[in-house]
Structure formats: structure tokens, C-alpha cells
Amino acid sequence: MKKLAVLFLCLNFLWSFGQEDIKQDFKPSSLNQPGQEYPMVNSQGYVRFKIKAPAADSVSVSLGLGGRGGTKLTKNEEGFWTGTTEGPMDEGFHYYHLTVDGGTFNDPGAKNYYGSVRWESGIEIPAHDQDFYALKDVPHGAVQQILFPSPSTDTSRRAFVYTPPDYHLNTDKAYPVLYLQHGWGEDETAWMNQGKANLIMDNLIAEGKIKPFIIVNTYGMTNEIKWGGIRDFDIKHFQTVLNEELIPYVDSHFRTLDNSENRAMAGLSMGGMETRMITMNKPGLFQYYGLLSGGTYSPDDLKAHDDLKLVFLSAGSKENPERVKQAAKALNDAGIKAVSYVSEGTAHEFLTWRRSLYQMAPLLFN
């Protein structure tokens, strides 16, 4: 009994010590609903939640250290459930949801973002390098929604188009185009909302670091298949939409440089898989390829791609960075220009992909 008591005291001390180490400088998340105090984030990346659910018997949050069921909240006498993540979160954007008595709900304090095939709550852990995607006092481009006809799917489909700040000022100028795809469970809103692609572009252009270009995001039809069946995904339907419907529409409705030399395709995660499939099937349609946590190419894959100017491969340091580095080296050794990038301290998440776009954009269309 004495040994158990000593063990209990030691564990309690360690737990208390860890809790005391959490800085109490919590502030409302930048992605909260207007006027909402919770969720909150501190300077170390811990997240604190407060949910009013007086009739609930259990409340937990999917956000937390991986593999242990997220963060379980504790109910007080006023019917509020509160709790803090066990450890700090990775910097950047994260999806999450609540589980209340076995049901899945969004946090009423947070804004919603489309991911995991549903509108999920979102939270932002301030990153040490967040300046590159910050909203600044610089000229801003426009993001507009378009509806383009799609005979192959018998409907009109939606896309979002980013045009640079000078697009409407310099009407004699034509621009290159990057077709940039989202991941599984997401849709065409992901890159501008979660990814802050428009702000990344605005800042790079303002600093004179890139040649201005247009970005197009459309739904990649990724969610027609469940996560476990991704290997069985058939690219032909989206390939038809992209190649035969969207690209011609963009070229006829925007001032684009309508040739493969000024056309790029890239995607994150499953969007990278789609990029790889389409560029393999349609060599010559694009001359710049980007796979962001989305696989790699081998030299044999690209034997028929004579006009290819660049392959960009990236991953988070918590993913498979060596595979990305080795693939880029093999391509360069074979005479194919390739660049690899590893996002330090991140996994399969949006800060990896924000950083990847920031690194890739200056390499395009040069």
C-alpha cells in the first residue's frame, strides 16, 4: 500500500507540474465566431475549450494529442464543460468537432470550414512564421466564384479564381495560370479559406518575389469515394472536367497565356494524387507540376515529358521528408529539374501546404 501511495503522489506531482507549466496567457482564437471568447489559444499552442451543455453526460473534443481520443471536457455546476489540450498543438490551422453524448457537433464558438466531408470547426494556432500569410496593407487581388458549364457531369460546376492586384488595372496583360487542388474531404473553398492562398500571393507580389499569376480552385470530385477506397479512385471523370471544360472556360473568360508553358498544376494530399495522375495521362498539358504531401514522381514516370520545366515536391517533417528529398534527387540526377521542400515541425496539415505554396510560387513561370 505504501508503494502505491508513493506512486500516486509521484504521478500527481508530475501531472500538477505539467499543468503549472501551462502559461495562462490564453486569448480567443482568431477563427472564433464574432463575440465568442472560446476556444482560446495560449502562446505555447495549448487550446482551451468551454461548451455550454447542461443536459449532456459527456463532452469531448477531437482536437488533442493524437491517438488518445482528443480532449475530454469536465462539467461544472453551471453546466459548462471545460478542458485544455494535453499538450501544445502544431502551429497553423486545424479542423475539429465535438462529441456530445455520442453525437458529432460543431463548436458554437468557432467558424466552420469544409473538411472531412463536412463543415468542421476550425482553429488557428499562431505560427512563428505567419507573416507570409498575414493580412497586410498591400494591394490585394480578387477572389471570385465562377460557374462553368460541364456537359460531362450534366450541370454547372463551381470554381474560385484568384486574379492578381493589377489584373483589372492593366487590361492589356495576360497571365499564367496555376490549377491548385484541395485534398480528400475538402472542396474548392479550401485553398482560399484554410490555405490563405490569396494572401500568400498578395504578399509575394507586393514584395516582388514572384511573377503574378492566376490561381484556379475547383472541386476535384475526391469525396465521391470513401477514405478507405482511395486506391480505387477513377481520375477520368475529373480529368475530363479539368481538361475539356474548366481550362477552356478559364482561357476564354480570363486573360490567360493559353499555352502549356504558362500553365501549372499542383495539389495537396489527394489533390496531389490527382495532379500526378492527370500530368501522367496528359504530358504537355502543363509544364510545372507540384505534389504537396501528395506523392512523388520517378524518372521513368516522366520520360515522355520533354517540355517539363519543374517538379516541386513537398511534405511536413512529420510525414515522409526523406522520400520527397530522395525523389527530387533522383529526378535531378536524371536531368529533370526538381525541387524538394520540407516544412519543419508540421505533419499532414495546412501549415505544411501554406508553406509549400509560399516556396513553390516563386519557382513558377520563370
Side-chain angles (χ1 to χ4, degrees):
M1 287 296 291
K2 288 183 178 179
K3 289 183 178 179
L4 287 175
V6 170
L7 178 61
F8 175 79
L9 289 172
C10 289
L11 290 174
N12 188 58
F13 170 78
L14 290 172
W15 179 86
S16 298
F17 181 78
Q19 293 296 304
E20 290 171 0
D21 277 349
I22 300 176
K23 294 182 180 179
Q24 299 305 311
D25 56 355
F26 285 88
K27 297 179 180 179
S29 166
S30 62
L31 303 185
N32 280 4
Q33 299 273 5
Q36 296 299 308
E37 187 178 11
Y38 288 86
M40 305 181 85
V41 182
N42 79 351
S43 59
Q44 299 164 299
Y46 286 83
V47 182
R48 181 163 290 169
F49 304 94
K50 185 177 182 180
I51 308 295
K52 188 174 184 179
D57 293 320
S58 66
V59 178
S60 63
V61 184
S62 61
L63 200 66
L65 296 185
R68 295 201 291 276
T71 302
K72 294 181 180 180
L73 307 188
T74 302
K75 186 178 182 180
N76 68 14
E77 294 178 355
E78 298 175 344
F80 286 98
W81 294 79
T82 59
T84 303
T85 53
E86 183 181 349
M89 304 301 301
D90 285 352
E91 296 177 339
F93 174 87
H94 300 278
Y95 300 108
Y96 74 98
H97 59 263
L98 309 177
T99 300
V100 181
D101 291 347
T104 300
F105 302 91
N106 284 2
D107 186 337
K111 293 179 182 178
N112 298 329
Y113 299 82
Y114 197 79
S116 304
V117 202
R118 66 182 299 272
W119 289 96
E120 290 263 272
S121 300
I123 196 165
E124 187 80 26
I125 310 300
H128 69 279
D129 59 346
Q130 63 186 347
D131 184 70
F132 76 88
Y133 57 82
L135 177 62
K136 299 180 182 180
D137 184 15
V138 299
H140 293 290
V143 179
Q144 61 181 293
Q145 174 181 292
I146 63 170
L147 296 173
F148 63 95
S150 173
S152 70
T153 58
D154 195 29
T155 188
S156 291
R157 305 186 71 85
R158 183 173 71 163
F160 287 93
V161 180
Y162 167 85
T163 49
D166 67 346
Y167 181 84
H168 296 291
L169 301 175
N170 188 355
T171 55
D172 294 329
K173 184 178 180 180
Y175 296 80
V177 185
L178 165 63
Y179 291 84
L180 185 60
Q181 290 305 121
H182 59 85
W184 180 87
E186 297 166 343
D187 66 7
E188 62 273 24
T189 63
W191 266 109
M192 297 301 166
N193 287 349
Q194 296 94 293
K196 299 184 181 291
N198 56 318
L199 298 181
I200 293 171
M201 290 292 293
D202 291 343
N203 294 337
L204 284 169
I205 292 169
E207 294 169 9
K209 292 182 177 179
I210 63 169
K211 180 178 181 180
F213 56 84
I214 293 169
I215 295 180
V216 179
N217 309 133
T218 196
Y219 174 51
M221 305 169 75
T222 53
N223 307 338
E224 316 304 310
I225 192 166
K226 293 183 178 180
W227 176 253
I230 284 179
R231 291 179 180 272
D232 300 321
F233 179 71
D234 189 347
I235 194 62
K236 68 181 180 183
H237 305 295
F238 178 58
Q239 182 171 290
T240 297
V241 168
L242 179 68
N243 183 35
E244 300 179 18
E245 297 166 352
L246 179 57
I247 292 177
Y249 182 91
V250 170
D251 286 338
S252 64
H253 287 76
F254 293 85
R255 297 193 314 276
T256 67
L257 294 167
D258 181 11
N259 54 61
S260 62
E261 186 177 354
N262 288 285
R263 192 181 297 129
M265 185 175 183
L268 69 88
S269 191
M270 191 172 177
M273 184 185 85
E274 290 184 315
T275 297
R276 186 180 185 279
M277 289 178 169
I278 290 174
T279 54
M280 293 281 290
N281 293 341
K282 297 287 183 180
L285 182 60
F286 306 93
Q287 289 193 23
Y288 299 85
Y289 306 164
L291 307 184
L292 319 181
S293 304
T296 61
Y297 296 97
S298 71
D300 286 343
D301 292 334
L302 303 177
K303 281 184 176 179
H305 299 237
D306 297 332
D307 297 325
L308 179 60
K309 292 185 179 297
L310 175 72
V311 174
F312 182 88
L313 306 173
S314 72
S317 64
K318 297 181 181 181
E319 294 188 278
N320 52 359
E322 290 307 313
R323 183 185 177 200
V324 164
K325 293 177 184 177
Q326 291 168 7
K329 182 180 184 304
L331 292 173
N332 282 307
D333 289 347
I336 300 168
K337 185 178 179 181
V339 173
S340 65
Y341 169 71
V342 175
S343 170
E344 190 58 40
T346 59
H348 203 71
E349 54 200 353
F350 255 103
L351 187 52
T352 297
W353 306 320
R354 291 173 182 171
R355 289 173 174 170
S356 296
L357 176 60
Y358 180 70
Q359 296 293 327
M360 178 178 70
L363 304 175
L364 301 179
F365 312 121
N366 293 318

